[in-house]
Amino acid sequence: MVAPPPPACGAAGQPPCKLPPLVASITNVDPDPAGARITIAAGTADGVENGMRGSVLGVKGSSFTLSGCTAQKCNATVKAAVDDVRNSGEVKITR
């Protein structure tokens, strides 16, 4: 009988497994001197946290860093036009 290969991630002594990106809805968009201040419908209960990075789907140059995360939502400031962010309505977060 052949032994199974050792786990590549998540086991003792191995790095944690990387989670796939998360797509979440934008629930609020406000103007900000840097572009747009957004609230997204994903929080710590969904596996996201302050400092994670993401971007607005379909909007070039719209990368951001999450802040103010609670169990249900997170905030971010995006260097993009408010209308472009509103028209997209979704973000992708790298976890």
Side-chain angles (χ1 to χ4, degrees):
M1 183 155 103
V2 176
C9 65
Q14 299 295 325
C17 295
K18 188 169 181 158
L19 296 172
L22 175 78
V23 175
S25 297
I26 298 171
T27 59
N28 191 53
V29 182
D30 289 316
D32 184 89
R37 179 88 177 146
I38 62 172
T39 302
I40 63 164
T44 56
D46 302 299
V48 298
E49 58 190 42
N50 293 334
M52 287 185 166
R53 299 188 48 80
S55 61
V56 179
L57 291 178
V59 180
K60 291 187 181 197
S62 63
S63 64
F64 58 80
T65 301
L66 295 176
S67 63
C69 292
T70 67
Q72 310 301 321
K73 63 181 177 110
C74 288
N75 300 311
T77 300
V78 182
K79 292 181 182 177
V82 170
D83 288 341
D84 292 342
V85 174
R86 282 188 179 134
N87 288 338
S88 167
E90 289 187 318
V91 298
K92 180 166 77 171
I93 301 162
T94 304
R95 301 188 286 170

